[in-house]
Amino acid sequence: MSTDGAFDRFTRTVDAAAAIAGIKDARLLERIKTPERIHEVSVPIARDDGSHAIFTAYRVQHSSARGPYKGGIRYHPNVSLDEVKALAAWMSIKTAVVDIPLGGGKGGITVDPKTLSRTELEALTRSYTERIWRVIGPQVDVPAPDVNTNSQTMDWIAHEYGRQSRTISPAVVTGKSLAHGGSAGRDTATAQGGFEVLHDALGATGESIDGATVAIQGFGNAGANAAILLHRAGARVVAASDSTAAVFAADGLPVGRLVEHKAKGGSFADLADYEKRPTEDPLFAEADILVPAALEGQITSANAERVRARWILELANGPTTPEADAILERRRVNVLPDILANAGGVVVSYYEWLQNLHTEKWLREEVEARLAVTMRRAYERVSELATFRRASFRLAAYAIAIERIVAALRAESSEGRIVLGR
Ligand code: NAD
C-alpha cells in the first residue's frame, strides 16, 4: 500500500473544502497549501561496532498563521519528504479544527529503528536535534512523538536542545516523560479524544459503544489505548494487528493480555493460541467499528468495497485515500476523520506546553476533563456544518479549519490584505 502522493491528497481535499467554506481567492488557497519552510538534513551517527552511518531527515514547518509550528517526529524506513509535508499540513488543519493556538509541522527520519540499538537510537536522536535545534524552540516549533518515537525520544531531544541552546527548555517538545515535564494524560490523549468523538457520533444516531464490536489496525500508542478504552466501555475487540500479524477472536480478544505482551516487547506474530492473519485483515473484519491506527494510505479504491464496518474512527493520520472516501460515502460508511478523531494527542500536547511555560503541573483528571470539553466542542461544530452543508465530516472539518487559518492570515495585515511571506 503506497504512501506516494499524500501531500497531493491534502491539496485536493483543501480545494474541495474551500468550496464549502466559500473561499475562492486562489492566492489564499495557495498560501494555505504551501509549506512555509522545509528543512532536509543529514544525520550522522557512530554505530556500536565502530562503523558510521548517515540518515536523511526532515522537519517541515507548514503553517505558523495561528501559532508556533506543532507536530510529531516519525522514525520509519518509508519516511519521505512527500509524507512529512502531508503530515505537517494535516497538523495545521488539525490544530485549527480543535481551535488551539498552534500551527502545523512534522519531522521524520528515514530509518528502520528496529535495526538500531538503544545507544544508537539515542545518538540518532541527539544528532538530529543538533541539526535542527536552531529552527525549533518553545515559541517557534514544538515537536512531539509519532510512529516509533516516544517519551524517551522526547526527553533526549529536550536535553540535547538545552545543551545546544544553553537553556532549560522543557517546552521545546511535548510527549515527554512525567519526570521531565510531561503531562499526565498525554499517553492516552489520542485514544481518549477519539473515544469522545465516537461516543458523541454514535449517540447522535442512537447507538452506543457498549456492546459494539471493534477491529483495530495498529497496536501502538493510539491503537492499544483505544482498545483499552473501548473494551472498558463495553465494546468487544474482535480483530487487531501490529506490523507483524493480525489476530482475530469473534468472542473478543483479551485486550489486557495483548497490551501486556506488547509492553514486554512482544509482537503479535509470536502470540501463542491465535491463528495469524495478514496485518491489513482487521480493515475487512466483521465489526461495527473499524479503527485504523497504523499508517496512512491503508483504505484505498482497491479495498474500500471490502470494509464491513459502518463506522471508521481514524486514529492514524491519512489512512483513507479520497477515492476510498468516495466509495465509503456511497456505501454509507460513517468516517470520523483523522483531523478530528486523532486530535486529542495535539490538544494534550498543547496542555503540556502550557504547563511547561507556566511551570505548572495539572492532575490527570483536570487534563482529561479539559480534553473532553475541547473534543466535544470540535465534534459539535463539525457535525453541525456537515449536516447544514450535507458534506462529509472530513470536508466539514477541513472547511472549518481553512476558515480559521484564513482569518489568521487576514489579521496579519491591518488592511485585510494577504501578506505574501514575512
Ligand atoms: P506507534 O509507533 O506507537 O504504533 C504504531 C503501531 O502500528 C505499532 O503497533 C505497529 O506495529 C503498527 N503497524 C505499523 N505498520 C503496520 C501495518 N502495516 N499493519 C498493522 N500495524 C502496523 O505509533 P502511534 O503513535 O500509535 O501512531 C499510529 C498512527 O496514529 C500514526 O498514523 C500517527 O501519525 C497517528 N497519530 C498518533 C498520535 C499520537 O499521539 N501518538 C496522535 C495523532 C495521530
Side-chain angles (χ1 to χ4, degrees), residues 61-176:
Q61 298 172 325
H62 177 262
S63 173
S64 61
R66 302 180 68 261
Y69 306 108
K70 185 85 193 82
I73 292 174
R74 174 176 292 196
Y75 292 178
H76 196 276
N78 291 349
V79 162
S80 65
L81 179 56
D82 181 81
E83 180 189 62
V84 182
K85 276 168 65 183
L87 290 164
W90 288 329
M91 287 307 298
S92 305
I93 299 293
K94 199 180 301 182
T95 51
V97 171
V98 288
D99 205 9
I100 54 176
L102 295 168
K106 203 83 175 193
I109 307 182
T110 313
V111 60
D112 182 355
K114 287 179 187 150
T115 62
L116 300 186
S117 69
R118 186 183 155 89
T119 335
E120 291 169 336
L121 271 179
E122 176 172 355
L124 179 80
T125 304
R126 289 185 183 277
S127 183
Y128 175 57
T129 310
E130 198 273 325
R131 288 290 197 247
I132 63 163
W133 77 271
R134 283 185 186 79
V135 297
I136 62 173
Q139 307 294 343
V140 183
D141 183 356
V142 184
D146 191 70
V147 174
N148 292 327
T149 55
N150 54 28
S151 57
Q152 175 63 78
T153 325
M154 296 306 116
D155 288 352
W156 286 329
I157 296 180
H159 185 256
E160 190 60 35
Y161 177 85
R163 232 165 40 174
Q164 299 291 340
S165 64
R166 298 185 196 284
T167 59
I168 298 165
S169 309
V172 68
V173 283
T174 57
K176 299 176 293 293

Side-chain angles (χ1 to χ4, degrees), residues 74 146 148 186 190 219-222 241-243 279 293-294 315-317:
R74 174 176 292 196
D146 191 70
N148 292 327
R186 176 63 184 85
T190 303
F219 214 74
N221 175 283
S241 64
D242 68 2
S243 62
T279 57
L315 291 190
N317 282 307

